Amino acid sequence: KNAQKCVYPQMTALEAIHEEHPQATFFLLSRPLDDWINSTERWWYGNLMHTRDQMTACDLPGLPQGVGSDNDDLKQWVCQHQQNVRHFVEQHPSHALIELNLYDDSNFNDNILTKLLGPQAQGCFGHSNQNQRIRPKKPKSGKRSNENNSGK
């Protein structure tokens, strides 16, 4: 089966970004991996498929087509992506890297961004893209879990 056409420049075009913007600041946002996986199963890619299914249908660096139905595969892939970005910035010291946790107090993150980027960034950071029309998906196999809704 042909892989979906997917565009993830933060994975495939770091060198091109560097060439075009050699002093760019990279932002690496994180949250607990189980919560991120849950989000990929709730968000839709267009109106066609859940984001997780879309990523699994792609041929992405470190996540070949068809891989990603197992939560551990996605966790490993995200961690590797984060390491790749950190390594890239380390190898290209003209760039800055700002890492923020989405679950930190949004005022804390907003204050950091305002101090770094100036007053035009005030109020730009927060949890404003919450999905108002969640369409849950039933797992295709026992490999996926709904760990975030387990009440733990």
Side-chain angles (χ1 to χ4, degrees):
K1 187 176 180 181
N2 291 336
Q4 292 278 323
K5 173 139 176 77
C6 303
V7 180
Y8 284 78
Q10 69 274 31
M11 296 180 162
T12 60
L14 288 174
E15 286 295 337
I17 292 169
H18 171 69
E19 289 175 21
E20 192 68 29
H21 303 283
Q23 295 183 343
T25 298
F26 289 87
F27 288 84
L28 193 55
L29 303 176
S30 63
R31 63 176 150 178
L33 293 174
D34 288 328
D35 290 357
W36 175 77
I37 289 170
N38 185 39
S39 178
T40 68
E41 292 185 350
R42 292 182 5 225
W43 279 95
W44 286 71
Y45 182 76
N47 286 321
L48 304 175
M49 62 182 71
H50 285 92
T51 302
R52 181 180 189 151
D53 292 336
Q54 186 264 341
M55 290 185 303
T56 306
C58 295
D59 185 16
L60 297 169
L63 192 71
Q65 180 185 13
V67 176
S69 63
D70 185 275
N71 287 349
D72 289 337
D73 290 339
L74 285 183
K75 289 176 183 180
Q76 182 178 356
W77 178 64
V78 168
C79 290
Q80 186 59 51
H81 167 64
Q82 292 170 341
Q83 290 298 336
N84 287 344
V85 172
R86 290 178 187 121
H87 180 74
F88 180 83
V89 172
E90 184 179 294
Q91 297 299 309
H92 299 83
S94 63
H95 296 288
L97 175 63
I98 298 172
E99 295 192 47
L100 298 172
N101 184 320
L102 290 177
Y103 286 4
D104 283 345
D105 180 294
S106 62
N107 289 328
F108 174 78
N109 286 331
D110 194 54
N111 289 337
I112 289 173
L113 292 176
T114 301
K115 286 179 184 175
L116 292 171
L117 303 175
Q120 70 274 12
Q122 182 77 38
C124 291
F125 194 87
H127 198 175
S128 62
N129 64 343
Q130 293 175 322
N131 189 349
Q132 299 301 317
R133 55 184 191 110
I134 295 173
R135 295 185 276 183
K137 179 179 180 179
K138 294 180 182 175
K140 292 179 185 173
S141 72
K143 291 186 178 182
R144 290 187 188 180
S145 68
N146 203 357
E147 297 164 17
N148 294 320
N149 292 331
S150 65
K152 295 180 182 177

